[in-house]
Every structure is written in structure tokens, then in C-alpha cells.
Amino acid sequence: MPEKSFLVQKFAKLGFGPLHIIGYSVAGEETVVQVPELNVCFDIGRAPYFALTSDYICLSHAHMDHLAGLGYYLSQRHFQGMKPGTIFLPRELERPVDALLRCWRDVERQGTPFKLVPMSGGQLFEVRRDFGIRAFATHHGGASLGYALISIREKLKLEYAGIPGPELAKMRKSGVEIQYRVEVPLIAFLGDTTAGSVFDDPDVQNAQVLITECTFFDADHRSKAKAGRHLHLDALVEILPKLKNENIVIAHVSRRTGIRRARHLLRKKIGDEQMKRITFLMDLEDARDEGEVEELAPPPPENVE
Ligand SMILES: [Zn+2]
Ligand SMILES: [Zn+2]
């Protein structure tokens, strides 16, 4: 029998059409979710090797399981001659995170460059002409944001359909607005949050893929969910009917509940049909039954997750 090792960490890889999600997310331990095709990583966790390749990091909030690896990410990229990482973060966190990263420069005696982009709910940052990142407020106590990756397109207005290209070009030159803007939310990531108005946000409701937390599933964990401002299964079940997402990925499940048990409890409440659009991020191909995985990890923390 092969020896169990603390050094092996398995990551999830899910495919949704042309986009992939690579990540790891366990409450209180580590959350890092990358979309390689869009050059974005949501939270940085402990900065696993794959996350170094993302030029854009969207930080949801300041709990250590979500941003511990930030200094390492920036330092490694600098060390390896990559361009400085761009970090989106809640506006309230700009000052302390800036101080933290400057402190690391002194500690490490390396002038690691970084770029912080403070964000507020509703703010859109246009990365390219056809792609942007929009922040939305979440409910986790303190400063917290979720992010949506938005495809931006210009489309020809219906009334100009059928007009030949050269003529359209002429109209455009003379100042006629022949196009309109279409924004399509591709992927939305909530970070940590309890129930609230975030689930009425159009980007959250309509993203092709929604990555939501659901930390607690067992009936006797309701008070933990409330205290930590996390989602409990009961709240998720109430929210699901208003979500129009083709795919919903559940992350940040507590180690107190194994993934198979969590999936079983959800299926019991919503049925097989609704389960079709739901994936648990950490439902790794060879995920073991509850009990075995827990042997490999320290006990779950009592408070901050
Ligand atoms: Zn967390
Ligand atoms: Zn948290």
C-alpha cells in the first residue's frame, strides 16, 4: 500500500466549453480558483504552482485561507522574470495589503513589483476591449467582493442588418451609432458570503458558470454558518430557484462534511434534475468517502474560515 503523504495536493479541473476551472477550495484551509484561458485567478490560496501563470488575481476578502500566498505569488513571478501581477481587491484592503507587500520587500530584500487595483461593488475594469472584470458586493462581514468575468461585444443594431459593409463604414465615419454593446457574464465567483442581495445581482444570476461557496451542510452546523457568515445548505436551496446559471460550482465546503455526504444531502433536497447543473469543485475523480480524506488534514479551525 502506498504511503500517504502530506506533500501531495490534488487540484480539481473542470471544463465548461472553451473555459476551464482549475482549483482547490476547502473552508478554512485554502481557496484558489483559476480560469487559465482568461488569465485570471480568483483568490490565491497558498499560491499553488499553477496559479503563478495568471496575470490577474481577484481577491475576495482578507481571510488567510484566501490570500496567504499573495507575497509568494508576486515574488516567484518576479524571480522567474514574469511581468508584475495585477491584484484586484476590495478598496478597504488596499492600504493594509500595500503595507504588507512593502514589508515583504524589506524582509526579502527584493524589490518585487506589484499593482493593486482597488475595486468597489458595481465597478467594471476593462482588461481588453472585449473582456472586463466587474466586482459585486458580498456579505461576509468586513470588506468582501465577488467578481464576474465579462465578455464585451459590439453588435450591429437590428435596423442596420443587411446594409452592405462599405455603406456601414461610411455611416460609422459620419458619426451614426450603428452598434450596441453586449455584455455577457461568463464566470462569476462569490468568495465567502452568506445569503443576501448578492444573489439578485444580474451577473451572479446569469453567469454561464457560477462558483458559489456553500460551507456547511449538516443540520447542526446552522449556527456555525450564521456565526461565520457563510452559506448553509438550507440557504442555498432557497436561493437556487432564482439562479439562471447553466452551471453552478460549489466550493469552500467544510472538512466537517465530506464531499459525498454534502452532495447526498443536496440531492435529497433538490432532486436529480436540479443536480444536473451542479458540480462540487472538490469532487475529485477519486475523492474518497468521508473519513479517509480527513486523516490527511489538520482538524478544522473553530472560527475564521
Ligand atoms: Zn474562506
Ligand atoms: Zn472568509
Side-chain angles (χ1 to χ4, degrees), residues 13-244:
K13 185 172 185 186
L14 306 175
F16 299 100
L19 300 178
H20 288 84
I21 287 173
I22 298 172
Y24 185 92
S25 179
V26 175
E29 191 179 307
E30 176 168 29
T31 289
V32 50
V33 180
Q34 184 189 49
V35 186
E37 293 84 1
L38 295 175
N39 204 8
V40 169
C41 197
F42 299 114
D43 287 336
I44 191 64
R46 292 179 283 195
Y49 200 71
F50 69 81
L52 298 181
T53 57
S54 295
D55 289 340
Y56 299 96
I57 306 291
C58 300
L59 290 182
S60 64
H61 67 297
H63 282 154
M64 195 63 99
D65 51 326
H66 298 256
L67 64 55
L70 188 59
Y72 186 80
Y73 158 84
L74 291 164
S75 174
Q76 279 291 303
R77 283 176 60 99
H78 183 53
F79 183 62
Q80 296 188 19
M82 302 164 82
K83 68 175 180 180
T86 298
I87 318 296
F88 300 92
L89 76 178
R91 191 163 292 280
E92 300 87 334
L93 292 177
E94 184 191 15
R95 192 191 50 77
V97 170
D98 182 73
L100 180 70
L101 295 174
R102 284 174 195 278
C103 191
W104 266 121
R105 283 181 182 163
D106 292 343
V107 170
E108 202 184 16
R109 296 166 64 89
Q110 174 179 283
T112 303
F114 60 87
K115 187 180 173 204
L116 300 183
V117 181
M119 297 288 278
S120 306
Q123 191 179 334
L124 174 71
F125 182 97
E126 295 200 17
V127 177
R128 298 191 308 256
R129 267 187 57 177
D130 63 348
F131 173 58
I133 298 174
R134 183 153 48 222
F136 47 85
T138 56
H139 324 291
H140 191 43
S144 66
L145 291 175
Y147 299 89
L149 308 184
I150 312 276
S151 159
I152 304 166
R153 297 271 161 75
E154 298 285 334
K155 282 200 166 172
L156 189 65
K157 286 182 183 171
L158 215 56
E159 61 260 43
Y160 301 119
I163 296 177
E167 214 166 307
L168 285 175
K170 247 191 248 167
M171 290 168 71
R172 198 177 190 173
K173 248 188 171 167
S174 70
V176 181
E177 280 282 349
I178 60 167
Q179 288 179 313
Y180 67 102
R181 183 182 163 104
V182 183
E183 293 184 356
V184 178
L186 302 173
I187 297 188
F189 172 83
L190 295 184
D192 291 2
T193 188
T194 188
S197 57
V198 62
F199 291 99
D200 299 318
D201 186 291
D203 287 341
V204 171
Q205 290 192 345
N206 298 308
Q208 288 166 8
V209 182
L210 173 66
I211 305 163
T212 178
E213 78 132 282
C214 189
T215 306
F216 296 107
F217 287 77
D218 286 284
D220 56 353
H221 290 167
R222 287 193 192 104
S223 58
K224 286 188 194 303
K226 196 174 173 198
R229 307 206 59 163
H230 288 294
L231 280 187
H232 184 275
L233 168 66
D234 295 347
L236 179 68
V237 168
E238 270 181 45
I239 290 163
L240 279 176
K242 64 178 166 185
L243 300 179
K244 302 178 193 96

